[in-house]
Amino acid sequence: MPRPRSEDKRSAILAAATRVIVAQGLGAPTAGIAKEAGVANGSLFTYFETKAVLFNALYLAIKTEMAEGAMHDLPAGAELQEQFFHVWQKWMYWAVEFPEKRRALAQLAVSDEITPETREAGHRVMAGIADLLERSRAQGAMKKAPRAFVAALMNAMAEATMDFMTQDTENAKKHCKSGFEAMWRAIA
Amino acid sequence: MPRPRSEDKRSAILAAATRVIVAQGLGAPTAGIAKEAGVANGSLFTYFETKAVLFNALYLAIKTEMAEGAMHDLPAGAELQEQFFHVWQKWMYWAVEFPEKRRALAQLAVSDEITPETREAGHRVMAGIADLLERSRAQGAMKKAPRAFVAALMNAMAEATMDFMTQDTENAKKHCKSGFEAMWRAIA
Amino acid sequence: MPRPRSEDKRSAILAAATRVIVAQGLGAPTAGIAKEAGVANGSLFTYFETKAVLFNALYLAIKTEMAEGAMHDLPAGAELQEQFFHVWQKWMYWAVEFPEKRRALAQLAVSDEITPETREAGHRVMAGIADLLERSRAQGAMKKAPRAFVAALMNAMAEATMDFMTQDTENAKKHCKSGFEAMWRAIA
Amino acid sequence: MPRPRSEDKRSAILAAATRVIVAQGLGAPTAGIAKEAGVANGSLFTYFETKAVLFNALYLAIKTEMAEGAMHDLPAGAELQEQFFHVWQKWMYWAVEFPEKRRALAQLAVSDEITPETREAGHRVMAGIADLLERSRAQGAMKKAPRAFVAALMNAMAEATMDFMTQDTENAKKHCKSGFEAMWRAIA
DNA sequence: GATGAATGAGTATTCATTCAT
DNA sequence: TATGAATGAATACTCATTCAT
């Protein structure tokens, strides 16, 4: 695919979109995003054909970054539960560190602008986590439940935990652990 | 003695809004909602001052109905876990029976049109479920976690279960039970 | 012409319209006028078929009242200039006493809702003043100018004087006299 | 280097507004003005932020043009009365030549959309005439009257004269002179 | 006659996208 | 390629008037 000249400008637009979406929601004018990014409003459309394309790209970019954050430094040799907890922790702390990205992602996730293809790509990007989950589930209480159901439950619990950690950063560490344990009890 | 304001018409507008929101999202034109309700587009505004007021009213109406559905026929004398499962089941089946209401509610819930007051009222309406949860948590694995965190986890798991049941109605009953058990393990 | 039941209500509407027009201009909603008058919005239309009809009626009512105020107690036996000054004075003081009526009248006068017929009727109502003017003009500096032109000049000067008196009520008496003298010099 | 904002387009919008206001009043839709100007309806708003801003700009533009018309070719060395008559004549003939501009100005002048700042700017633009008037008044019959009052009287008489000249163009010249003389008698 | 709910045409302004420069 | 002016479709809400009660 032919990339437009400046990768910097592309990133600036994505970063600006994140900020603007958090502040004003998905209804925010593209002109505002362009301004925040320091480019002319028409230029936005040389990097992203439509607003929807921009949103899909942003969704995937944030989700990718989140997954990479979570899988970073995975202790491959360790016990399964320990590996999972490591990932969980990185995941949660990424969310606490980049609350704007997470909030933008949350808004994008419920939007009907995000296509099934983009959502599918989002899942693929999370494959590492899904794999851990799969191995944890296989012998546990939910061995008979469909894996997608279990994944949905884990995700839901992860989101709830992130929310709580972000709201009450003082006790973030405690909530992180307690959320993980609840998830592990539920699923493994 | 003019025509009195009609409760029927109010309900028709709420019901129409539900359908239209599911089909077109929150950006749907008020004119479309009015048409779907069979009233003139100006009439919508004699029942709801603004679009935002309509959305807040709808959010609360659906949430109230959902809570009433869940708490219906509660076996007050039974064991705690049994009571909770009863409520859980009614709750899930309400969601399966009225998927449009649930989808509309989900969209409204993430909208920034819904005021904190409305959200607060929504919580009050769910007090019955919150109370059961509270009693379940008090002696269990999460007795030290903040109740709001536990409530958030339960809600998240409930939503995930509803989604799954709605997607795979054939096995709805199984998923309902399995979701409840996971929740109970996690929380009680 | 068949009069509606209550003359009181009709007057209340006219009075309310005066106040509302001053406060909000001619674009003010009929509903607001009705409310100010203490009647239901539909009732306004049993007294005045349309908003334009109401405005025409109000224009004429105020103009009539103004003319009657001006011609009151005319000293029929006196010198022409004295008679004229008497009328001028009454006219100006009516304007100072009822500034709202005058402001409403001013707005109505420039509106294109007021029909030529209504304007014509307004002139007839001012016939007494016009007659004095005519007698004053006939021998004076403007004896060759069309009477309508002279009337227009006098009116314009009268309006300017009223404005000034209303703005600076402290010196109203002085301005009244000075305005009259200027008019007399110009016209007689 | 995008298309620069076009001064022509701005003027076209002002000219179109003049015509449309005369034909339909100040309530005329902006879409109509845009169409008359030959621009898209959104374009109107790149030149004037709101309808009110457009109206204020138009008021000032017409008033400026009128003042410039009146003060053109002022015979600076001549007698005061002669200078004044020169200005008066130019002023009146400007009004006769551009009756639409004058009618639009009259409508705008009574509108409450025109801000005090704009009115103030309008006065400044007429400073040349005000100055002549001031010099004429200083030694005359109205030397003791407030200058604002005298200015108001002159303006009122000027407006009345313009109206009459426009209505009866055949005798415009005569009315022009006769109006001036009346004004001079009244004021100087 | 009185009421106020019902009607639906009407309108300023916004905004994604295009395009002349 | 970058710019920002140009475009015109889209939309919440208002309001004169009508009409059921």
Side-chain angles (χ1 to χ4, degrees), chain A residues 93-168:
Chain A
Y93 280 104
W94 178 90
V96 169
E97 188 173 4
F98 303 108
E100 293 203 322
K101 288 179 184 175
R102 200 173 90 80
R103 286 171 67 185
L105 185 61
Q107 300 225 41
L108 290 164
V110 301
S111 153
D112 47 16
E113 305 272 31
I114 304 302
T115 63
E117 289 72 34
T118 302
R119 290 181 199 276
E120 180 52 36
H123 286 147
R124 276 198 300 278
V125 137
M126 300 286 278
I129 300 178
D131 181 56
L132 273 176
L133 176 67
E134 187 44 26
R135 286 192 277 142
S136 308
R137 179 189 69 97
Q139 306 303 328
M142 298 205 81
K143 61 173 163 259
K144 291 200 183 136
R147 74 166 68 178
F149 184 21
V150 180
L153 285 171
M154 180 199 63
N155 246 300
M157 298 180 85
E159 296 286 338
T161 304
M162 287 172 200
D163 281 341
F164 222 77
M165 288 173 67
T166 308
Q167 265 168 60
D168 178 21

Coordinates of all heavy atoms in Angstrom, one line a residue, chain A residues 93-168:
Chain A
Y93 N -1.6 -2.1 33.7 CA -0.8 -0.9 33.8 C -0.7 -0.1 32.6 O -0.6 1.2 32.6 CB 0.5 -1.2 34.5 CG 0.4 -1.4 36.0 CD1 0.3 -2.6 36.6 CD2 0.1 -0.3 36.8 CE1 0.1 -2.8 37.9 CE2 -0.1 -0.4 38.1 CZ -0.1 -1.6 38.7 OH -0.3 -1.8 40.0
W94 N -0.7 -0.7 31.5 CA -0.8 0.0 30.2 C -2.1 0.9 30.2 O -2.0 2.1 29.9 CB -0.8 -0.9 29.0 CG -0.9 -0.2 27.7 CD1 0.1 0.3 26.9 CD2 -2.2 0.2 27.1 NE1 -0.4 1.0 25.8 CE2 -1.8 0.9 25.9 CE3 -3.5 0.1 27.3 CZ2 -2.7 1.5 25.0 CZ3 -4.5 0.6 26.5 CH2 -4.1 1.3 25.3
A95 N -3.2 0.3 30.7 CA -4.4 1.1 30.7 C -4.4 2.3 31.7 O -4.9 3.3 31.4 CB -5.6 0.2 31.1
V96 N -3.7 2.0 32.8 CA -3.6 3.1 33.8 C -2.7 4.2 33.3 O -2.9 5.4 33.5 CB -3.1 2.5 35.1 CG1 -2.7 3.7 36.1 CG2 -4.2 1.7 35.8
E97 N -1.6 3.8 32.5 CA -0.7 4.8 32.0 C -1.2 5.6 30.9 O -0.9 6.8 30.7 CB 0.6 4.1 31.6 CG 1.7 5.0 31.2 CD 3.0 4.3 30.9 OE1 3.1 3.1 30.9 OE2 4.0 5.0 30.7
F98 N -2.1 5.0 30.1 CA -2.6 5.7 28.9 C -4.1 5.8 29.0 O -4.8 5.2 28.1 CB -2.2 5.0 27.6 CG -0.7 4.9 27.5 CD1 0.0 3.7 27.6 CD2 0.1 6.1 27.2 CE1 1.3 3.6 27.5 CE2 1.5 6.0 27.1 CZ 2.1 4.8 27.2
P99 N -4.6 6.5 30.0 CA -6.1 6.4 30.1 C -6.8 7.0 28.9 O -7.9 6.5 28.6 CB -6.3 7.3 31.4 CG -5.1 8.1 31.5 CD -4.0 7.3 30.9
E100 N -6.2 8.0 28.2 CA -6.9 8.6 27.1 C -7.0 7.5 26.0 O -8.1 7.4 25.3 CB -6.1 9.8 26.5 CG -6.1 10.9 27.5 CD -5.9 12.2 26.8 OE1 -5.0 12.2 25.9 OE2 -6.5 13.2 27.2
K101 N -5.9 6.8 25.8 CA -6.0 5.8 24.7 C -7.1 4.8 25.0 O -7.9 4.4 24.2 CB -4.7 5.1 24.6 CG -3.6 6.0 23.9 CD -2.3 5.3 23.8 CE -1.3 6.4 23.2 NZ 0.1 5.8 23.2
R102 N -7.2 4.4 26.3 CA -8.2 3.4 26.6 C -9.6 4.0 26.5 O -10.5 3.3 26.0 CB -8.0 2.9 28.0 CG -8.7 1.5 28.2 CD -8.5 0.9 29.5 NE -9.4 1.3 30.4 CZ -10.6 0.8 30.5 NH1 -11.0 -0.1 29.7 NH2 -11.5 1.2 31.5
R103 N -9.8 5.2 26.9 CA -11.1 5.8 26.7 C -11.5 5.9 25.3 O -12.7 5.7 24.9 CB -11.2 7.1 27.5 CG -11.3 6.9 29.0 CD -11.1 8.1 29.8 NE -12.3 9.0 29.6 CZ -12.4 10.2 30.1 NH1 -11.3 10.7 30.8 NH2 -13.4 11.0 30.0
A104 N -10.5 6.3 24.5 CA -10.8 6.4 23.0 C -11.2 5.1 22.5 O -12.2 4.9 21.8 CB -9.7 7.0 22.3
L105 N -10.4 4.1 22.9 CA -10.7 2.7 22.4 C -12.1 2.2 22.8 O -12.8 1.6 22.0 CB -9.6 1.8 23.0 CG -9.6 0.3 22.5 CD1 -9.5 0.3 21.0 CD2 -8.6 -0.5 23.2
A106 N -12.4 2.6 24.1 CA -13.7 2.1 24.5 C -14.8 2.8 23.7 O -15.8 2.1 23.3 CB -13.9 2.5 26.0
Q107 N -14.7 4.0 23.3 CA -15.7 4.7 22.5 C -15.7 4.1 21.1 O -16.8 3.8 20.6 CB -15.4 6.2 22.4 CG -15.4 6.9 23.7 CD -16.1 8.2 23.6 OE1 -17.2 8.3 23.0 NE2 -15.6 9.2 24.2
L108 N -14.5 3.9 20.6 CA -14.5 3.3 19.2 C -15.1 1.9 19.2 O -15.8 1.5 18.3 CB -13.0 3.2 18.8 CG -12.4 4.6 18.5 CD1 -10.9 4.5 18.4 CD2 -13.0 5.1 17.2
A109 N -14.9 1.1 20.3 CA -15.3 -0.3 20.3 C -16.8 -0.4 20.2 O -17.4 -1.3 19.6 CB -14.8 -0.9 21.6
V110 N -17.6 0.6 20.8 CA -19.0 0.5 20.7 C -19.6 1.2 19.4 O -20.8 1.1 19.2 CB -19.7 1.1 21.9 CG1 -19.3 0.4 23.2 CG2 -19.4 2.6 22.0
S111 N -18.7 1.9 18.7 CA -19.2 2.6 17.5 C -19.5 1.6 16.4 O -18.9 0.6 16.2 CB -18.1 3.5 17.1 OG -18.2 3.8 15.7
D112 N -20.5 2.0 15.6 CA -20.8 1.1 14.5 C -20.0 1.5 13.2 O -20.2 0.9 12.2 CB -22.3 1.0 14.2 CG -22.9 2.3 14.2 OD1 -22.2 3.3 14.1 OD2 -24.2 2.4 14.2
E113 N -19.0 2.4 13.4 CA -18.1 2.7 12.3 C -17.0 1.7 12.2 O -16.4 1.5 11.2 CB -17.4 4.1 12.6 CG -18.3 5.2 12.9 CD -18.7 5.9 11.6 OE1 -18.8 5.2 10.5 OE2 -18.9 7.1 11.6
I114 N -16.7 1.0 13.3 CA -15.7 0.0 13.3 C -16.2 -1.3 12.6 O -17.2 -1.9 13.0 CB -15.2 -0.4 14.7 CG1 -14.8 0.9 15.4 CG2 -14.1 -1.4 14.7 CD1 -13.6 1.7 14.7
T115 N -15.5 -1.7 11.5 CA -16.0 -2.8 10.7 C -15.7 -4.1 11.3 O -14.8 -4.2 12.1 CB -15.4 -2.8 9.3 OG1 -14.0 -3.0 9.5 CG2 -15.6 -1.4 8.6
P116 N -16.4 -5.2 10.9 CA -16.1 -6.5 11.4 C -14.7 -6.9 11.1 O -14.0 -7.5 11.9 CB -17.1 -7.4 10.6 CG -18.2 -6.5 10.3 CD -17.7 -5.1 10.1
E117 N -14.2 -6.5 9.9 CA -12.8 -6.8 9.5 C -11.8 -6.2 10.6 O -10.9 -6.8 11.0 CB -12.5 -6.2 8.2 CG -13.1 -6.9 7.0 CD -14.6 -6.6 6.9 OE1 -15.0 -5.5 7.3 OE2 -15.4 -7.5 6.6
T118 N -12.1 -4.9 10.9 CA -11.2 -4.3 11.9 C -11.3 -5.0 13.2 O -10.3 -5.3 13.9 CB -11.6 -2.8 12.1 OG1 -11.5 -2.2 10.8 CG2 -10.6 -2.1 13.0
R119 N -12.5 -5.4 13.6 CA -12.6 -6.1 14.9 C -11.9 -7.4 14.8 O -11.2 -7.8 15.8 CB -14.1 -6.4 15.2 CG -14.9 -5.1 15.5 CD -16.3 -5.3 15.9 NE -17.1 -4.1 15.8 CZ -17.2 -3.1 16.7 NH1 -16.6 -3.3 17.9 NH2 -17.9 -2.0 16.5
E120 N -12.0 -8.1 13.7 CA -11.3 -9.4 13.5 C -9.8 -9.1 13.7 O -9.1 -9.9 14.4 CB -11.6 -9.9 12.2 CG -11.0 -11.2 11.8 CD -11.2 -12.3 12.9 OE1 -12.3 -12.3 13.5 OE2 -10.3 -13.1 13.1
A121 N -9.3 -8.1 13.0 CA -7.8 -7.8 13.1 C -7.5 -7.5 14.6 O -6.4 -7.9 15.1 CB -7.5 -6.6 12.2
G122 N -8.4 -6.9 15.3 CA -8.2 -6.6 16.7 C -8.0 -7.9 17.5 O -7.2 -8.0 18.4
H123 N -8.8 -8.8 17.2 CA -8.7 -10.1 17.9 C -7.4 -10.8 17.6 O -6.7 -11.3 18.5 CB -9.8 -11.1 17.4 CG -11.2 -10.7 18.0 ND1 -12.4 -10.9 17.4 CD2 -11.5 -10.1 19.2 CE1 -13.3 -10.4 18.1 NE2 -12.8 -10.0 19.2
R124 N -7.0 -10.7 16.3 CA -5.7 -11.4 16.0 C -4.5 -10.8 16.8 O -3.6 -11.5 17.2 CB -5.4 -11.2 14.5 CG -6.1 -12.3 13.7 CD -5.5 -12.4 12.3 NE -5.6 -11.2 11.5 CZ -6.7 -10.8 10.8 NH1 -7.8 -11.6 10.8 NH2 -6.8 -9.7 10.2
V125 N -4.6 -9.5 17.0 CA -3.6 -8.8 17.7 C -3.5 -9.3 19.1 O -2.5 -9.2 19.8 CB -3.9 -7.3 17.5 CG1 -3.7 -6.5 18.8 CG2 -3.1 -6.7 16.3
M126 N -4.7 -9.7 19.6 CA -4.7 -10.2 21.0 C -4.5 -11.7 21.1 O -4.7 -12.3 22.2 CB -6.1 -9.9 21.6 CG -6.5 -8.4 21.6 SD -5.6 -7.5 22.9 CE -6.6 -7.9 24.3
A127 N -4.0 -12.2 20.0 CA -3.9 -13.7 20.0 C -3.0 -14.3 21.1 O -3.3 -15.3 21.7 CB -3.3 -14.2 18.6
G128 N -2.0 -13.5 21.5 CA -1.1 -14.0 22.6 C -1.9 -14.2 23.8 O -1.7 -15.2 24.5
I129 N -2.7 -13.2 24.2 CA -3.4 -13.3 25.4 C -4.5 -14.4 25.3 O -4.7 -15.2 26.2 CB -4.1 -12.0 25.7 CG1 -3.1 -10.9 25.9 CG2 -5.0 -12.1 27.0 CD1 -3.6 -9.5 26.2
A130 N -5.1 -14.5 24.1 CA -6.1 -15.5 23.9 C -5.5 -16.9 24.1 O -6.1 -17.8 24.6 CB -6.7 -15.4 22.5
D131 N -4.3 -17.0 23.7 CA -3.6 -18.3 23.8 C -3.4 -18.7 25.2 O -3.7 -19.8 25.6 CB -2.3 -18.2 23.0 CG -1.6 -19.5 23.0 OD1 -2.2 -20.5 22.6 OD2 -0.4 -19.5 23.5
L132 N -2.9 -17.8 26.0 CA -2.7 -18.0 27.4 C -4.0 -18.5 28.1 O -4.1 -19.4 28.9 CB -2.3 -16.8 28.1 CG -0.8 -16.5 28.2 CD1 -0.5 -15.1 28.8 CD2 -0.1 -17.6 29.0
L133 N -5.1 -17.7 27.7 CA -6.4 -18.0 28.3 C -6.8 -19.4 27.9 O -7.3 -20.2 28.8 CB -7.4 -17.0 27.7 CG -8.8 -17.2 28.1 CD1 -9.0 -16.9 29.6 CD2 -9.8 -16.3 27.3
E134 N -6.6 -19.7 26.7 CA -7.0 -21.0 26.2 C -6.3 -22.1 27.0 O -7.0 -23.1 27.4 CB -6.6 -21.1 24.7 CG -7.1 -22.3 24.0 CD -8.6 -22.7 24.3 OE1 -9.3 -21.7 24.7 OE2 -8.9 -23.9 24.2
R135 N -5.1 -22.0 27.2 CA -4.3 -23.0 28.0 C -4.8 -23.0 29.4 O -4.9 -24.1 30.0 CB -2.8 -22.7 27.9 CG -2.2 -23.1 26.6 CD -0.7 -23.1 26.6 NE -0.2 -21.8 26.4 CZ 0.9 -21.3 27.1 NH1 1.5 -22.1 27.9 NH2 1.3 -20.1 26.9
S136 N -5.2 -21.9 29.9 CA -5.7 -21.9 31.3 C -7.1 -22.5 31.5 O -7.4 -23.2 32.5 CB -5.8 -20.4 31.8 OG -4.6 -19.8 31.6
R137 N -7.9 -22.3 30.5 CA -9.2 -22.8 30.5 C -9.3 -24.3 30.3 O -10.1 -25.0 31.0 CB -10.0 -22.2 29.4 CG -11.5 -22.6 29.3 CD -12.0 -22.1 28.0 NE -11.4 -22.7 26.8 CZ -12.0 -23.7 26.2 NH1 -13.2 -24.2 26.6 NH2 -11.4 -24.3 25.2
A138 N -8.4 -24.8 29.5 CA -8.6 -26.2 29.0 C -8.8 -27.2 30.1 O -9.5 -28.2 29.9 CB -7.4 -26.5 28.2
Q139 N -8.1 -27.0 31.3 CA -8.2 -28.0 32.3 C -9.2 -27.6 33.4 O -9.4 -28.4 34.4 CB -6.9 -28.3 32.9 CG -5.8 -28.7 31.9 CD -6.2 -29.9 31.1 OE1 -7.0 -30.8 31.6 NE2 -5.8 -30.0 29.8
G140 N -9.7 -26.4 33.4 CA -10.4 -25.8 34.5 C -11.9 -26.0 34.5 O -12.4 -26.8 33.7
A141 N -12.5 -25.2 35.3 CA -14.0 -25.3 35.5 C -14.7 -25.0 34.2 O -15.9 -25.4 34.1 CB -14.4 -24.3 36.6
M142 N -14.1 -24.2 33.3 CA -14.9 -23.9 32.1 C -14.4 -24.7 30.9 O -14.6 -24.2 29.8 CB -14.8 -22.4 31.9 CG -15.4 -21.6 33.1 SD -16.0 -20.0 32.6 CE -17.6 -20.3 31.9
K143 N -13.9 -25.8 31.1 CA -13.4 -26.6 30.0 C -14.4 -26.9 29.0 O -14.1 -27.0 27.8 CB -12.6 -27.8 30.4 CG -13.4 -28.8 31.2 CD -12.6 -30.1 31.4 CE -13.2 -31.0 32.5 NZ -12.5 -30.8 33.8
K144 N -15.7 -26.9 29.4 CA -16.7 -27.3 28.4 C -17.4 -26.0 27.8 O -18.1 -26.2 26.8 CB -17.8 -28.1 29.1 CG -17.3 -29.5 29.5 CD -18.5 -30.4 29.7 CE -18.0 -31.8 30.1 NZ -18.8 -32.3 31.2
A145 N -17.1 -24.9 28.3 CA -17.7 -23.7 27.7 C -17.0 -23.3 26.4 O -15.8 -23.5 26.3 CB -17.7 -22.5 28.7
P146 N -17.7 -22.7 25.5 CA -17.0 -22.2 24.2 C -15.9 -21.2 24.6 O -16.0 -20.4 25.4 CB -18.1 -21.5 23.4 CG -19.4 -21.9 24.1 CD -19.1 -22.4 25.5
R147 N -14.8 -21.3 23.8 CA -13.7 -20.5 24.1 C -14.1 -19.0 24.0 O -13.6 -18.1 24.7 CB -12.5 -20.8 23.4 CG -12.5 -20.5 21.9 CD -11.1 -20.6 21.3 NE -10.7 -22.0 21.2 CZ -9.6 -22.4 20.7 NH1 -8.7 -21.5 20.2 NH2 -9.3 -23.7 20.6
A148 N -14.9 -18.7 23.0 CA -15.3 -17.3 22.8 C -16.0 -16.7 24.0 O -15.8 -15.6 24.3 CB -16.1 -17.2 21.5
F149 N -16.8 -17.6 24.6 CA -17.5 -17.1 25.8 C -16.6 -16.8 26.9 O -16.6 -15.8 27.6 CB -18.5 -18.2 26.2 CG -19.4 -17.9 27.4 CD1 -19.7 -16.6 27.7 CD2 -20.0 -18.9 28.1 CE1 -20.5 -16.2 28.8 CE2 -20.9 -18.6 29.2 CZ -21.1 -17.3 29.5
V150 N -15.6 -17.7 27.1 CA -14.7 -17.5 28.1 C -13.8 -16.3 27.9 O -13.6 -15.4 28.8 CB -13.7 -18.8 28.3 CG1 -12.7 -18.5 29.4 CG2 -14.6 -20.0 28.6
A151 N -13.5 -16.1 26.6 CA -12.7 -14.9 26.3 C -13.5 -13.6 26.6 O -13.0 -12.6 27.1 CB -12.3 -14.9 24.8
A152 N -14.8 -13.7 26.2 CA -15.6 -12.5 26.5 C -15.7 -12.2 28.0 O -15.6 -11.1 28.4 CB -17.0 -12.8 25.9
L153 N -15.8 -13.3 28.8 CA -15.9 -13.1 30.2 C -14.6 -12.4 30.7 O -14.6 -11.5 31.5 CB -16.1 -14.4 31.0 CG -17.6 -14.9 30.9 CD1 -17.6 -16.4 31.5 CD2 -18.5 -14.0 31.7
M154 N -13.5 -13.0 30.3 CA -12.2 -12.4 30.7 C -12.1 -11.0 30.3 O -11.7 -10.1 31.1 CB -11.0 -13.2 30.1 CG -9.7 -12.6 30.6 SD -8.3 -13.0 29.6 CE -8.7 -12.3 28.1
N155 N -12.4 -10.7 29.1 CA -12.3 -9.3 28.6 C -13.1 -8.4 29.5 O -12.7 -7.3 29.9 CB -12.8 -9.2 27.2 CG -11.7 -8.8 26.3 OD1 -11.1 -7.8 26.5 ND2 -11.3 -9.7 25.4
A156 N -14.4 -8.8 29.7 CA -15.3 -8.0 30.5 C -14.7 -7.7 31.9 O -14.7 -6.6 32.4 CB -16.6 -8.7 30.6
M157 N -14.1 -8.7 32.5 CA -13.5 -8.6 33.8 C -12.3 -7.7 33.7 O -12.0 -6.9 34.7 CB -13.2 -9.9 34.4 CG -14.4 -10.8 34.6 SD -14.1 -12.4 35.3 CE -14.1 -12.0 37.1
A158 N -11.5 -7.8 32.7 CA -10.3 -7.0 32.5 C -10.8 -5.5 32.4 O -10.2 -4.6 33.1 CB -9.6 -7.4 31.3
E159 N -11.8 -5.3 31.6 CA -12.2 -3.9 31.5 C -12.7 -3.3 32.8 O -12.4 -2.2 33.1 CB -13.4 -3.8 30.4 CG -13.0 -4.2 29.0 CD -12.2 -3.2 28.3 OE1 -12.3 -2.0 28.7 OE2 -11.5 -3.5 27.3
A160 N -13.5 -4.1 33.5 CA -14.0 -3.6 34.8 C -12.8 -3.3 35.7 O -12.8 -2.3 36.5 CB -14.9 -4.7 35.4
T161 N -11.8 -4.2 35.7 CA -10.6 -3.9 36.6 C -9.9 -2.7 36.2 O -9.5 -1.9 37.0 CB -9.7 -5.2 36.5 OG1 -10.5 -6.3 36.9 CG2 -8.6 -5.0 37.5
M162 N -9.7 -2.5 34.9 CA -9.0 -1.3 34.4 C -9.8 0.0 34.9 O -9.2 0.9 35.4 CB -9.0 -1.2 32.9 CG -8.0 -2.2 32.3 SD -8.3 -2.2 30.5 CE -7.6 -3.7 30.0
D163 N -11.1 -0.1 34.7 CA -11.9 1.1 35.1 C -11.6 1.4 36.6 O -11.4 2.5 37.0 CB -13.4 0.8 35.0 CG -13.8 0.9 33.5 OD1 -13.1 1.6 32.7 OD2 -14.9 0.4 33.2
F164 N -11.7 0.3 37.4 CA -11.5 0.6 38.8 C -10.1 1.0 39.2 O -10.0 1.9 40.0 CB -11.9 -0.7 39.6 CG -12.7 -0.4 40.7 CD1 -14.1 -0.1 40.6 CD2 -12.2 -0.3 42.0 CE1 -14.8 0.3 41.7 CE2 -12.9 0.1 43.1 CZ -14.2 0.4 42.9
M165 N -9.1 0.5 38.5 CA -7.8 0.9 38.8 C -7.6 2.4 38.4 O -6.9 3.2 39.2 CB -6.8 0.1 38.1 CG -6.7 -1.3 38.6 SD -5.6 -2.4 37.5 CE -4.0 -1.6 37.8
T166 N -8.2 2.8 37.4 CA -8.0 4.1 36.9 C -8.7 5.1 37.8 O -8.2 6.2 38.1 CB -8.6 4.3 35.4 OG1 -8.0 3.3 34.6 CG2 -8.3 5.6 34.9
Q167 N -9.9 4.7 38.3 CA -10.6 5.6 39.2 C -10.0 5.7 40.6 O -10.1 6.7 41.2 CB -12.0 4.9 39.5 CG -13.1 5.4 38.6 CD -14.3 4.5 38.8 OE1 -14.8 4.3 39.9 NE2 -14.7 3.8 37.7
D168 N -9.3 4.6 41.0 CA -8.7 4.6 42.4 C -7.3 4.2 42.3 O -6.9 3.1 42.7 CB -9.6 3.6 43.2 CG -9.1 3.5 44.6 OD1 -8.4 4.4 45.1 OD2 -9.4 2.4 45.2

